[in-house]
């Protein structure tokens, strides 16, 4: 969900409109097909706080809804299998 702000969604650091935020401050899809391809690197960091019992379920693979770590592998494998240009 987009963060709503009391500031105008029309302003940004360069003073131009933010094309991916609508007049209500909600995120919207933007067609970027005409933009040239660029290589970018993103670095993210996070912290997950959980009980020892929850961690034990995850590590053992016995969570009620299955392997909760399986979805994390998908983006990494996509990146490795993506053709380099």
């Amino acid at each position: 969900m987009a963060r709503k702000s009391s500031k105008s969604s029309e302003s940004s650091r360069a003073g131009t409109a933010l094309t991916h935020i609508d007049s209500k401050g909600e995120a919207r899809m933007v067609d970027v097909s005409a933009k040239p391809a660029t290589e970018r690197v993103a670095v993210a960091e996070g912290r997950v706080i959980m009980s020892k019992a929850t961690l034990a379920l995850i590590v053992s693979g016995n969570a009620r809804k299955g392997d909760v770590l399986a979805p994390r592998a998908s983006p990494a494998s996509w990146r490795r299998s993506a053709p380099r240009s």
Side-chain angles (χ1 to χ4, degrees), residues 36-76:
T38 59
E39 185 171 329
R40 297 179 181 185
V41 176
V43 178
E45 185 176 307
R47 179 178 294 196
V48 177
I49 300 171
M50 67 183 78
S51 70
K52 288 182 180 182
T54 302
L55 179 59
L57 281 172
I58 292 170
V59 171
S60 70
N62 293 324
R64 191 169 29 146
K65 293 190 175 186
D67 183 1
V68 299
L69 298 179
R72 72 163 165 71
S74 298

Side-chain angles (χ1 to χ4, degrees), residues 19-53:
T19 58
H20 60 284
I21 305 293
D22 67 16
S23 62
K24 296 178 184 175
E26 300 292 329
R28 66 181 187 89
M29 295 298 293
V30 177
D31 180 6
V32 295
S33 60
K35 294 181 91 173
T38 59
E39 185 171 329
R40 297 179 181 185
V41 176
V43 178
E45 185 176 307
R47 179 178 294 196
V48 177
I49 300 171
M50 67 183 78
S51 70
K52 288 182 180 182

Side-chain angles (χ1 to χ4, degrees), residues 70-84:
R72 72 163 165 71
S74 298
S77 63
W78 296 339
R79 184 178 61 245
R80 284 192 302 270
S81 64
R84 293 270 186 204

